Amino acid sequence: MTSHPTVVLVDDHALFRSGVRTEIEGADDAGARATVVGEAGDVDEAVRLILDREPDVVLLDVHMPGGGGAEILRRVHETRPGQRFLALSVSDEPEDVIRLIRAGARGYVTKTISGDELTAAIHTVHAGDAVFSPRLAGFVLDAFAGRSSGEITVTADPELDQLTDREREVLRLIARGYMYKEIARRLTISPKTVEHHVSAVLRKLQLSNRHELTRWATERRLVD
Amino acid sequence: MNPVPARITATLAVLVAAALVLAERQGTAPLQPLLGALTGVLVIAAAIARAGICRDRRNLRLALRDGRSTAPAAPVAGSRTVAGTVLILGGVIVALLTLQASLGISFWALLLLGAGGMVLWSQTSEAARTGAGGAPSGWQRLLGRRADHPNGAADRMIVASGIGLVVLGALVALSSLGALDATRTSVLQLIVALAAVLVVVAPFWLRLSRRAARERAERIRGDERAEVAAHLHDSVLQTLALIQRRGDDPREVAALARRQERELRLWLSGRSERPDVELMAALRAAAAAVEIEQAVEIEVVTSGEWPLDDRAAALLGAAREAMANAARHGGVDRVAVFAEVADGRIEVFVRDRGGGFDLDAVPTDRRGVRESIVGRMRRAGGHATISSSPGSGTEVELSLEIRS
């Protein structure tokens, strides 16, 4: 596995793209750098570029005209199912975040994160692991507690619908701001096991279905 | 609308209907039509008053949901409206019975006609009152329609059922009058005539209604745009102007931008935060305040929500102190807060990645503050744990048992 992942940037905000490019190509730690092999500003261009350049990681903005990041994910995965995506977003709305994870993104970061954190996230996704910000962990805890304001429908598989106690513990530690290494130390398990739990949660999020609750429940609470 | 008129008119309706029955028994014929008409008017008035109560109740619910704290002009009591409904129903039944007695039309026919009419009336008046985004009426809730997903199919079903009731009522009325066979031909002629009229009138009517809908959509869009413009003017433009002026202080600029971003994001999401009533919203507000006071970045992640009762308020106070502490003594730019309601507990974690400190060798001023956090939680019936070590920062853990 190369230590310099190749990256394609997809964002309709050109100024933002150039800023990110500078950050990840010019990271202080040479080992942390990544190579940007392409930039795209709309859905069609992005799909074409990704299938052509075959990057290690695609940095993908959630809100793009023409269907958004989810559309790009869908189209690329039809041809290149192993392509890894890291979602980037201004929005902090649970629906947007979870929608993209369910569409296949391996993680989610907000646009306000530092350059260091961004390069670290790119490397994490490149290594095949999931990037879980504290905020995403909070959303996931909410979603599986039935409190998500997003749209998730029903399935019969109870295993997928629930988090195991261990998984919930790991998520809560992530939400509290712990790094994977720190979590491993605290739970006396190996960092690999932590990553394994996180990936399992990601898979559940992608495959699970649960009732749409919050809006309706709010009305009921008011009405009953 | 005051609920009192509803009761009074309903009572009067019942009295008048009773008088009508008596009058009929005694055979004072000329009085009947008059009394019948009076009953009808009073029943309608009572129904209107009841509809007014329904509307007020719904407005009250909407106001609560949107977080508006202004009390409604006339407090509405549930029991009074139930009594009013019973009286109105009683009045209606008596009125229909007397109409049956005096006109010979079947009671059921009149009931069907009345029910169909009421359904159609409620449908049109509901649509006129609430427009696209209103809360659903009882009928619509019954059919599973939710406020922000206007369900055309449900509305059409209601209208169709209303029309069906009316037609059924008319048929029953005609048959009870024994006029069905004789009037079949004339009824068919009537239907043909009506159909012809409909064909002529329909396009005009469609065009009118479409134009009305379009104009209303335009007006709504215009209102929304004005609202967005006003909001942006008051908030974002001000912040951008401030940023331009303070360009030489990057920390202040970052803080300003962060605050404005958070506020705009919240506004865009359409959620209403109630920091005086909800714990998590209050936590976010407290974090925002500490951010400004201490010039740090506090990221708050929450899961669940809880009402801000006394114990939760104590938890909030302790959390706020912990945040301010982390900002002051942590020597860091960032503090991470996680709050969760789960497993019968509220837990709040305040973490910084600062220098940390040796818990035993704590200087007296900090010890006092620490005692304050621990003591506050203990008095509220919860507890606080502070863990810290040089190098890995400090974490304050606050927990409160709750009965779920």
Side-chain angles (χ1 to χ4, degrees):
Chain A
M1 198 176 305
T2 58
S3 55
H4 276 249
T6 53
V7 177
V8 162
L9 297 175
V10 180
D11 193 315
D12 57 336
H13 212 151
L15 198 61
F16 181 75
R17 284 201 313 261
S18 67
V20 167
R21 187 177 204 140
T22 314
E23 269 175 353
I24 62 184
E25 286 190 326
D28 290 331
D29 176 9
R33 288 191 202 138
T35 317
V36 176
V37 298
E39 288 182 30
D42 67 66
V43 172
D44 294 322
E45 199 188 329
V47 174
R48 220 173 330 126
L49 195 65
I50 294 168
L51 293 175
D52 179 54
R53 307 284 164 88
E54 298 189 344
D56 294 317
V57 178
V58 175
L59 269 185
L60 181 63
D61 185 19
V62 172
H63 293 291
M64 298 263 299
E71 177 68 12
I72 298 175
L73 261 159
R74 193 188 59 80
R75 281 162 62 172
V76 168
H77 276 165
E78 275 171 14
T79 318
R80 196 169 136 80
Q83 178 63 62
R84 297 195 176 117
F85 288 85
L86 176 61
L88 202 57
S89 174
V90 165
S91 154
D92 232 357
E93 290 302 300
E95 292 95 354
D96 293 335
V97 175
I98 291 183
R99 191 182 303 141
L100 220 69
I101 300 287
R102 282 165 73 75
R106 304 282 307 168
Y108 159 86
V109 292
T110 48
K111 286 185 175 178
T112 52
I113 69 168
S114 69
D116 293 337
E117 284 175 326
L118 182 57
T119 45
I122 292 173
H123 280 269
T124 307
V125 171
H126 176 45
D129 298 316
V131 172
F132 253 81
S133 66
R135 195 165 288 282
L136 177 58
F139 292 159
V140 175
L141 283 167
D142 249 356
F144 279 93
R147 284 187 290 243
S148 169
S149 52
E151 242 183 41
I152 334 197
T153 42
V154 118
T155 198
D157 190 337
E159 236 180 70
L160 282 181
D161 280 354
Q162 301 283 358
L163 296 172
T164 65
D165 287 339
R166 200 53 141 181
E167 287 165 352
R168 212 174 311 135
E169 250 185 287
V170 169
L171 276 181
R172 288 165 93 222
L173 286 169
I174 294 177
R176 279 157 67 176
Y178 283 67
M179 304 290 177
Y180 289 3
K181 275 201 298 287
E182 295 168 323
I183 296 175
R185 210 177 321 135
R186 197 180 161 106
L187 297 178
T188 56
I189 53 181
S190 75
K192 257 295 159 227
T193 316
V194 175
E195 276 158 9
H196 168 75
H197 284 306
V198 172
S199 297
V201 170
L202 197 76
R203 196 175 55 244
K204 284 187 184 179
L205 198 58
Q206 286 170 345
L207 299 176
S208 156
N209 296 302
R210 298 194 83 220
H211 265 303
E212 171 178 16
L213 267 187
T214 303
R215 241 181 244 143
W216 183 236
T218 312
E219 277 186 40
R220 284 176 148 256
R221 194 177 7 128
L222 215 51
V223 169
D224 287 349
Chain B
M1 193 183 283
N2 202 317
V4 174
R7 270 164 88 201
I8 293 180
T9 48
T11 323
L12 281 175
V14 174
L15 287 173
V16 169
L20 191 60
V21 174
L22 284 170
E24 193 207 342
R25 288 265 173 80
Q26 299 194 323
T28 49
L31 222 51
Q32 287 182 27
L34 191 65
L35 284 176
L38 220 71
T39 316
V41 165
L42 285 170
V43 166
I44 290 174
I48 292 176
R50 165 92 176 107
I53 295 171
C54 285
R55 191 188 58 228
D56 285 342
R57 259 219 312 213
R58 198 184 57 245
N59 286 345
L60 176 62
R61 253 184 266 135
L62 279 174
L64 281 177
R65 188 180 67 183
D66 297 342
R68 285 179 261 151
S69 53
T70 53
V76 187
S79 57
R80 274 200 242 152
T81 58
V82 167
T85 318
V86 168
L87 284 172
I88 290 166
L89 277 177
V92 166
I93 290 175
V94 173
L96 290 178
L97 282 170
T98 54
L99 276 172
Q100 171 182 5
S102 49
L103 294 175
I105 301 177
S106 148
F107 160 71
W108 294 111
L110 292 169
L111 196 65
L112 284 170
L113 282 168
M118 265 192 347
V119 166
L120 287 172
W121 183 47
S122 83
Q123 185 57 15
T124 52
S125 62
E126 175 71 33
R129 256 207 304 273
T130 63
S137 70
W139 290 111
Q140 292 158 328
R141 274 210 309 280
L142 203 65
L143 291 166
R145 171 186 143 155
R146 288 188 295 276
D148 13 19
H149 299 293
N151 188 344
D155 291 345
R156 282 196 291 278
M157 243 163 60
I158 294 173
V159 171
S161 61
I163 293 177
L165 284 171
V166 170
V167 168
L168 201 63
L171 285 174
V172 174
L174 284 174
S175 79
S176 71
L177 285 172
L180 197 59
D181 297 326
T183 55
R184 201 180 301 164
T185 348
S186 44
V187 165
L188 283 172
Q189 289 170 346
L190 191 67
I191 288 174
V192 169
L194 271 175
V197 168
L198 265 173
V199 166
V200 169
V201 164
F204 294 104
W205 178 72
L206 266 172
R207 188 165 1 127
L208 270 176
S209 65
R210 253 188 233 133
R211 176 153 20 121
R214 226 183 5 246
E215 282 174 4
R216 190 156 101 226
E218 281 294 333
R219 200 180 51 237
I220 291 174
R221 265 200 296 274
D223 287 343
E224 271 179 20
R225 200 173 322 145
E227 199 188 311
V228 170
H231 183 265
L232 288 180
H233 182 274
D234 292 339
S235 60
V236 181
L237 282 179
Q238 307 285 349
T239 303
L240 288 174
L242 263 176
I243 286 178
Q244 288 183 66
R245 271 193 287 140
R246 303 274 180 80
D248 50 344
D249 185 350
R251 282 191 72 161
E252 167 123 26
V253 165
L256 275 170
R258 202 177 138 78
R259 229 183 311 151
Q260 185 57 73
E261 182 205 350
R262 189 178 316 118
E263 189 265 359
L264 190 58
R265 203 177 271 188
L266 188 63
W267 182 75
L268 283 172
S269 74
R271 277 194 306 262
S272 57
E273 292 256 299
R274 293 186 286 168
D276 47 341
V277 168
E278 293 171 336
L279 175 60
M280 300 303 177
L283 214 56
R284 278 188 284 268
V290 173
E291 271 195 348
I292 298 172
E293 277 168 31
Q294 309 285 344
V296 277
E297 219 181 276
I298 304 187
E299 167 148 41
V300 179
V301 176
T302 67
S303 175
E305 186 54 275
W306 196 256
L308 195 61
D309 54 24
D310 289 336
R311 295 170 75 227
L315 176 64
L316 175 70
R320 186 180 173 141
E321 238 186 293
M323 285 186 238
N325 244 19
R328 258 197 301 264
H329 300 287
V332 283
D333 293 332
R334 272 161 141 203
V335 177
V337 176
F338 174 59
E340 186 185 25
V341 179
D343 305 328
R345 270 202 311 278
I346 310 177
E347 287 186 321
V348 180
F349 302 86
V350 179
R351 186 159 195 263
D352 69 78
R353 290 184 175 286
F357 58 94
D358 184 354
L359 281 165
D360 299 316
V362 169
T364 37
D365 63 330
R366 284 204 73 187
R367 193 176 298 145
V369 164
R370 210 180 85 203
E371 281 306 311
S372 153
I373 294 179
V374 172
R376 204 195 280 241
M377 286 307 296
R378 202 180 329 121
R379 279 190 295 278
H383 65 268
T385 320
I386 304 179
S387 43
S388 175
S389 56
S392 74
T394 312
E395 186 171 34
V396 175
E397 178 181 339
L398 308 168
S399 94
L400 198 64
E401 299 278 333
I402 53 175
R403 304 150 263 295
S404 56

